[in-house]
Amino acid sequence: MLVPAPDVPLPTAAAIERAKRELDRRLGPSKVAVAADTCALYALDESDVAGRMPDVVVLAESTADVAIALEVADACDVPITPRAAGTGRTGGAVPVAGGIVLATHKLTRVKDIDRRDLLAVVEPGVVTGELQALCEKEGLFYPPDPNSLDSCMLGGNIAENAGGPRAFKYGVTSAYVLGLEACLVGGRVLRTGKRTVKGVTGYDVTSLLVGSEGTLAVFTEATLRLLRAPQEVATVLALFDDVHACAKGVSAVIDAGLVPRCLELLDAATLDAVRAQGVAVDARAHAMLLVEIDGDAEAIHPALERLGNALAECAGVVDIVVAQDEAQRSRLWAARKVLSRATRKLAKHKLSEDVVVPRSRVPELLLRTDRIGDETGVRHLAYGHAGDGNLHVNFLWDDDSERAAVDRAIELLMRATIDLGGTLSGEHGIGVTKQQFLPLEQSAELIDLQRDLKRVFDPKELLNPGKIFPNRSHRAC
Ligand code: MLT
Ligand code: ZN
């Protein structure tokens, strides 16, 4: 059952026809698709948001193509929705007003990997995992690692300010974007930011654009900061008899003075989903912490020992496993990486939220989630980046008649998150699915200021309309 598209102004038939003609004339038919079956491929993303079928899809191959599409959209008054791989979870790439979809997945060049200045210059259609592999060959490291890294693209990562398990130590995408080439509605091309590590000239427009969910500009190039690859990485798995003990284990690791690069928690229902994938997990385990540390060879062994001691002292630990080699490490991670898909198999429908609370309040968030499950009768599970306080609470249901209870469960989760001092989204963005909850976290003044900013970039509200901000008729729920 799809989430209905928000109410947004639709283009007129005459405007669409004009835009199609103009795009065809300026870009040529190989870059402009109007066939229904092609357009249908660009109507959805990995959320459950119902889009409107786009009227035309631009398959851009260069900055000039992107700029032309944005110029035509403006001249013809037709909404335009940018899209890279379409792996988003909140409807960010879904064209809720139809019109033009501007696809950037064909801009796939890695233009530079600079070992001396530690940076890469990339186009938006580069798959995140491919950049990481190229960096690795050079002894370099691009840390952001959304779990969809084998298919998601850097353009989308930047638009959503994607995170991933390694954010605990290394931060999210914004920590790595030094500069952007960005095209605005109307066709202006801007370069923001710098190629240097430091730089405070003018407003930090780069930071404003990162995470703007495709509502302010379309990226055609990004300059990304790289690190030297850590010499060693060690992965440890701690199994617990109970999720609450496991959540306390997160603090135990941090209190031991360790800065793991990942601190991931899986609850009992999630572990069952992992078992259902054929991965053997000790039957005594009802929760799991996946911890990874990295660093220089001489630092890693003492850190590993401290980690082992801290975990061994935790109440409720049933086993601690240290990966012995690279093959075992990737087996441990393989189970984590497929979670989103594995949990999808537990029910006909699933929604994965990405709320964040202050790390010390993760145990409370888990308790509140259980209470929400009891109150609404909705099946749920939780896993995710517990070190960041960022949990993927998943709600599962089989029958459409349960949808109202699921909506109630989501609302209660959002309220509980804000109550605990948290934030609605740690990595998936607001998009369509969470816009009605934005007023729970942000004041009307702050939302209005952001709407004003949007109008500076896009006065006619043509670029990715219907995203982030609640419909004006929507009051705080
Ligand atoms: C993850 O951490 O696996 C991804 O953010 C996707 C999700 O599970 O919601
Ligand atoms: Zn995640």
Side-chain angles (χ1 to χ4, degrees), residues 147 164 336 385 390 392 427-428:
N147 275 311
R336 167 62 184 96
H385 324 296
N390 181 196
H392 296 302
E427 44 186 24
H428 298 170

Side-chain angles (χ1 to χ4, degrees), residues 65 68 70 85 92 133 174 195 205 221 225 242 245 299 384 394 440 459 474:
D65 294 347
I68 287 170
L70 287 159
S174 56
R195 268 181 78 99
V205 177
E221 186 188 287
R225 185 167 77 94
D242 163 79
N394 284 205
L440 293 178
H474 231 117

Side-chain angles (χ1 to χ4, degrees), residues 89 146-148 163-165 264 336-341 343 350 352-354 383-385 390 392 394 427-428:
R89 301 301 179 94
N147 275 311
S148 54
E264 297 281 303
R336 167 62 184 96
K337 284 224 179 95
V338 298
L339 276 188
S340 186
R341 292 202 173 96
T343 51
K350 167 190 113 144
S352 177
E353 296 298 343
D354 65 322
Y383 62 87
H385 324 296
N390 181 196
H392 296 302
N394 284 205
E427 44 186 24
H428 298 170

